Amino acid sequence: MKIAVISDIHANVYALMNALEDIDSEKVDTIICLGDLVGYGPHPNEVISMIRRRHILCIKGNYDISVVDNEYSFIRETHINSFSLPWTVNELREENRIFLKNLSTSLTLNILNKNLLFVHGSPNKINEYLLKDDDNTLNIMNDLNEDVLICAHTHIPGIKEFGNKVYINCGSVGKPKIGRPNSTYCILTITKEDGMKVQIKEIPYAYKRIIKDMTILEFPNGLIQSLENGLE
C-alpha cells in the first residue's frame, strides 16, 4: 500500500496542482489530505473543487473550522488573519462551506496489522502544534494507542521514532515554513516484505504565480512575503 499524505494547502491552487502532478508520477494507491484547504491564499473554491473532483479522502483543519464558523475558533486573531478570515468567508461558495463543515476531524486505518491515526494538529486538539522534539509530542506519542501518528498543522515536515511508535508530519503543500517556497508532502509505503517506509518529498512550484494573484487582490504584504520566503 502506497499513500501520499498532503496538508495545509491554504487556498494555493498552483501548489496543489503541482503536488498532485508529482504524486501521480509516484503511482500511489490513494491520497489523504489532513486539512486546512483554505485560509491565507486566494483560491479557496478552486482548491476544494480539485480535492472533490479527485475524490481525495480529507479531514478538516483548524482554519477550515474557523472559516465555517466565521470566528477565530481555532486560529489566532492576528493582523493577517483579520484580513484572511473574512476574505475567505466572503469568497467561499456555500457548497464548499458545507463540504468543509461535513469533514471529520480524524481518520484511522489498519494496513497490514499496523494502526495509523491521521489528524490535523494532534489527537487531543485540532490546532495543537506537534514538533518532533517538543515535550508535548513526546507525551502524545507515549499515550498513543495506534502504531503511527500522521499529522500536519506546523507546516514543518518531520519523522521520528518513539520506541515502537512513529511520528510523521507531512508539512505543507501551499504555505511552507521551511525557509524555502517549496511544497512538502509525505509518501507512506507499507508492504508485507519491507514493513513501513516513509519519505518526505520537497518539490518546487511556480510560486510567483500566486504572489502575482495575491498582489493584484491587495493581500497584506506580510502574507505575500511569507509564501515567497517560506517563513511564518
Side-chain angles (χ1 to χ4, degrees), residues 27-132:
K27 296 182 169 28
V28 301
D29 296 298
T30 192
I31 305 171
I32 296 174
C33 178
L34 303 186
D36 272 8
L37 279 66
V38 301
Y40 299 128
H43 312 124
N45 293 304
E46 294 87 342
V47 164
I48 294 174
S49 294
M50 191 168 293
I51 293 290
R52 296 176 69 183
R53 188 163 60 249
R54 291 285 299 259
H55 303 289
I56 293 172
L57 192 58
C58 191
I59 62 176
K60 69 178 71 173
N62 62 302
Y63 219 116
D64 302 325
I65 293 177
S66 295
V67 167
V68 168
D69 293 347
N70 192 14
E71 293 179 0
Y72 294 93
S73 306
F74 292 99
I75 61 172
R76 293 168 292 170
E77 193 168 350
T78 64
H79 170 69
I80 285 177
N81 284 334
S82 69
F83 169 86
S84 179
L85 178 61
W87 190 93
T88 304
V89 169
N90 291 332
E91 185 75 9
L92 196 66
R93 291 197 292 267
E94 178 63 14
E95 64 184 82
N96 289 331
R97 190 192 69 82
I98 293 170
F99 172 80
L100 293 179
K101 183 179 181 179
N102 289 332
L103 293 175
S104 63
T105 55
S106 66
L107 171 70
T108 305
L109 297 178
N110 182 286
I111 302 173
L112 295 175
N113 295 318
K114 195 172 286 291
N115 291 313
L116 293 81
L117 175 62
F118 298 83
V119 298
H120 180 74
S122 84
N124 295 341
K125 197 170 183 182
I126 198 166
N127 64 342
E128 182 177 7
Y129 287 93
L130 293 185
L131 296 166
K132 66 179 183 178

